[in-house]
Amino acid sequence: MVNKAITPIQQFSVLKHEFPKSSGSVYCGTMNWSGEFTPSALSDTYRLKITYTQGQAPKAYIVSPKPLPLAEGANRLPHTYCYNNGKQQLCLFLPKVGEWDSSMFIATTIVHWAVQWMYYYEIWVSTGKWMGGGHGNWDVEKKEDQISN
């Protein structure tokens, strides 16, 4: 049995219900939604934007602060798609592996994964160590680590 896809308007309705202070719209079958999140009591506040067109994977972006600071010694953000135009699109799941599909609610998957990314991003900026799992090695050596070696 195939799970039924959740339409962009249904996704938007659930997002607005779960996050009443959020904003966005659905136009021509594409949802644009954004909300502000503070991943921990000591965290900065981030503006998250999610776009979704049925039949495609949702895309999540940090739109502010922009640009996000890098950990000392790093040359790019961890778990993001590389764009030259300043887009900060998060890599939250592997689309071709089935970690997310259109029968899942964005409010209970993508949003929560993005907030977790924000949390681990802040640890990475402070320590240079990526604690958020996923693929690849995003750890960077700080200058004092290089001196002691």
Side-chain angles (χ1 to χ4, degrees), residues 32-53:
N32 287 290
W33 174 88
S34 62
E36 290 191 343
F37 295 91
T38 307
S40 76
L42 300 175
S43 292
D44 288 333
T45 297
Y46 300 88
R47 186 147 195 79
L48 174 68
K49 176 183 177 183
I50 298 174
T51 62
Y52 175 63
T53 302

Side-chain angles (χ1 to χ4, degrees), residues 59-108:
K59 295 177 180 175
Y61 304 90
I62 302 295
V63 294
S64 75
K66 187 175 182 181
L68 286 168
L70 298 176
E72 184 180 327
N75 58 12
R76 68 172 285 208
L77 292 168
H79 285 285
T80 57
Y81 293 92
C82 192
Y83 290 109
N84 293 330
N85 61 3
K87 285 187 179 180
Q88 300 177 137
Q89 184 183 347
L90 308 182
C91 178
L92 301 173
F93 62 96
L94 297 171
K96 298 187 188 316
V97 180
E99 293 176 329
W100 188 89
D101 68 57
S102 61
S103 70
M104 298 172 158
F105 286 106
I106 291 170
T108 58

Side-chain angles (χ1 to χ4, degrees), residues 7 12 47 114 125:
T7 67
F12 182 75
R47 186 147 195 79
V125 168

Side-chain angles (χ1 to χ4, degrees), residues 20-33:
K21 293 182 180 179
S22 66
S23 61
S25 64
V26 179
Y27 181 73
C28 293
T30 297
M31 177 197 79
N32 287 290
W33 174 88

